[in-house]
Amino acid sequence: MQQEFTLGIEEEYLLVDRDSLQLSHAPTALIEACQSDFEGQVSPEFLQCQIEVGTRPHATIKSAREDLKRLRSCVSKRAAEYNMAPIAVSCHPFANWKDQHHTRRERYDALQHALGGVARRMLICGMHVHVGIENQALRADLMPQLSYFLPHLLALSTSSPYWNGEDTGLSSYRLTVFDNLPRTGLPPVFSSWGEYERTTGVLVELGVIEDTSKIWWDLRPSHRFPTLETRIMDVQPRLEHTLSLAALAQALTRMLCRLKARNLRWRQYDKFLIGENRWRAQRYGVGEGLIDFGDRSIKPMAELMGELMGMLAEDTEALGTMTEIARLRHIAETGTSSTRQRRVHAEAVARGDDPGKAVVSHLIEEFHADL
């Protein structure tokens, strides 16, 4: 059995003006200053109001925490020099996507051309978690098994209830926008790494995509690294919540490898069924529970997390992430960022304050709470 499960985390942030709380374009000098502080770990994103950070590979959640904390602190410090602040949320509560412009780089110009009008609505941010899997065949084997848990990760991460100033009724509206792109959603099932390469290779050979980095499934083998990359999650306002979700992705991967070492595997369910749980997570977050297909029942997220914690006990102990996983049980019981945003919104309305601005102020506070 593989002994080390390295961890890497990527996050996308929105930049807001500290006075108006509207989205603000990132000055080139801001991006360059962050890149000077953290070479290779900070980059512009598709829209000019976005910035992306990525940790180094880490063997432990402790070292990942230190790296991500430094990155968040750096972006916050540099943004403040321009009277701006970062928020780690998947949709701005009241910004209009029509007012935003994409970053003028060859890569993003090509993306805008390829996606047409769909690209203009991409005012969304996500988080990606890489878990190191050196063996290619193992990556292909784990993908359909890990897919079962993608709705759980989405439900626990939801942070995008608002779009263009309106409550969408969804907990993750981001996914609604993202699913308009091609090559998204739950990954296909491949019988082997060779089948994965042959299938994706058709599009590369035809010039439809330049490489597999243009495949945006909820879970995919990374094009650049020997990892499985989980991409379904909304970005987290709180640093510690990011780390807990990353720890869950890591522990689930280790558990499935542990089962494989005993000639066991997680039961593979049809994408149709997993897709129903994906929708429930997108719509309700942790509020209405997910379907337990083995038990043929809908279970509250707190109960599902309790069961998961039991199944993952050996893995979280080995990885040193018991505290992080326990925090997810608390989120399942009390709600996600979407829950908190709606509470702040309702309280602002009751006071007669601007609810959208109240939510953005709350998100700025949450970004800095763990720094």
Side-chain angles (χ1 to χ4, degrees):
M1 172 180 158
Q2 180 174 311
Q3 296 302 308
E4 187 174 64
F5 295 84
T6 56
L7 193 66
I9 303 168
E10 298 169 350
E11 292 187 315
E12 298 162 349
Y13 310 139
L14 294 170
L15 296 169
V16 300
D17 179 86
R18 285 181 174 271
D19 297 323
S20 69
L21 303 179
Q22 289 276 6
L23 291 174
S24 186
H25 294 172
T28 301
L30 187 161
I31 301 290
E32 291 176 346
C34 291
Q35 290 174 328
S36 176
D37 293 339
F38 288 90
E39 184 178 356
Q41 290 187 258
V42 181
S43 62
E45 247 299 324
F46 178 67
L47 293 178
Q48 293 176 355
C49 58
Q50 293 175 300
I51 189 169
E52 181 179 20
V53 303
T55 69
R56 306 287 188 196
H58 294 279
T60 67
I61 203 72
K62 180 180 178 181
S63 59
R65 173 182 286 106
E66 294 169 355
D67 194 0
L68 189 57
K69 186 174 182 177
R70 286 193 297 267
L71 285 164
R72 282 193 171 212
S73 297
C74 169
V75 173
S76 177
K77 175 186 173 183
R78 293 298 188 180
E81 296 172 2
Y82 297 88
N83 196 42
M84 297 163 64
I87 55 174
V89 65
S90 282
C91 292
H92 188 281
F94 60 86
N96 192 323
W97 59 269
K98 295 179 182 178
D99 298 331
Q100 308 309 314
H101 303 281
H102 77 274
T103 303
R104 296 314 301 267
R105 286 192 168 194
E106 183 178 350
R107 171 190 175 193
Y108 296 129
D109 288 345
L111 193 62
Q112 172 74 50
H113 175 75
L115 298 177
V118 172
R120 287 202 61 207
R121 297 181 69 243
M122 292 293 290
L123 185 54
I124 55 175
C125 294
M127 64 172 281
H128 308 154
V129 175
H130 293 257
V131 178
I133 301 291
E134 291 290 339
N135 185 278
Q136 293 176 332
L138 182 57
R139 273 178 249 161
D141 187 49
L142 291 178
M143 277 180 64
Q145 299 178 72
L146 275 172
S147 291
Y148 179 86
F149 299 100
L150 291 173
H152 301 67
L153 289 161
L154 174 62
L156 292 161
S157 73
T158 51
S159 73
S160 50
Y162 297 106
W163 181 254
N164 283 357
E166 296 184 1
D167 191 327
T168 65
L170 276 65
S171 294
S172 175
Y173 192 75
R174 161 191 153 264
L175 214 59
T176 302
V177 178
F178 195 72
D179 282 348
N180 282 283
L181 272 63
R183 303 178 295 278
T184 57
L186 294 169
V189 175
F190 299 105
S191 61
S192 66
W193 182 259
E195 184 184 5
Y196 163 75
E197 288 192 312
R198 286 191 299 273
T199 302
T200 58
V202 171
L203 299 187
V204 176
E205 290 167 12
L206 291 173
V208 175
I209 55 176
E210 61 179 295
D211 54 49
T212 55
S213 69
K214 298 300 187 294
I215 294 172
W216 299 301
W217 299 323
D218 296 337
L219 173 70
R220 70 178 185 185
S222 171
H223 174 71
R224 296 174 56 198
F225 310 111
T227 65
L228 280 178
E229 179 186 3
T230 303
R231 302 167 48 85
I232 197 171
M233 294 168 285
D234 277 5
V235 69
Q236 298 302 288
R238 296 289 299 264
L239 168 69
E240 290 300 328
H241 293 173
T242 296
L243 294 164
S244 289
L245 289 162
L248 179 56
Q250 183 190 41
L252 287 168
T253 305
R254 187 185 188 279
M255 177 194 72
L256 295 175
C257 287
R258 176 166 54 84
L259 290 177
K260 184 177 178 62
R262 297 165 53 194
N263 288 323
L264 300 172
R265 61 185 292 113
W266 195 262
R267 180 175 173 181
Q268 185 175 313
Y269 289 91
D270 192 275
K271 280 178 60 177
F272 170 75
L273 295 178
I274 299 174
E276 189 63 27
N277 263 349
R278 184 182 189 265
W279 163 248
R280 292 184 65 84
Q282 182 180 353
R283 171 67 174 87
Y284 303 113
V286 297
E288 295 292 332
L290 298 178
I291 304 169
D292 182 327
F293 295 112
D295 198 44
R296 296 293 182 95
S297 65
I298 298 174
K299 292 184 177 179
M301 278 302 300
E303 182 178 345
L304 290 173
M305 273 310 303
E307 293 176 357
L308 265 181
M309 288 173 66
M311 288 190 294
L312 296 172
E314 178 179 335
D315 308 287
T316 56
E317 183 176 3
L319 294 166
T321 57
M322 298 179 72
T323 299
E324 285 74 21
I325 300 300
R327 187 178 294 112
L328 294 176
R329 174 70 178 268
H330 179 70
I331 291 174
E333 292 171 342
T334 62
T336 65
S337 173
S338 287
T339 312
R340 299 192 300 277
Q341 288 178 54
R342 286 184 166 125
R343 182 167 58 244
V344 169
H345 190 282
E347 291 170 351
V349 170
R351 293 192 307 267
D353 294 340
D354 185 316
K357 290 186 175 181
V359 173
V360 177
S361 295
H362 155 77
L363 293 168
I364 293 173
E365 291 174 5
E366 288 217 324
F367 187 95
H368 295 90
D370 301 321
L371 301 185

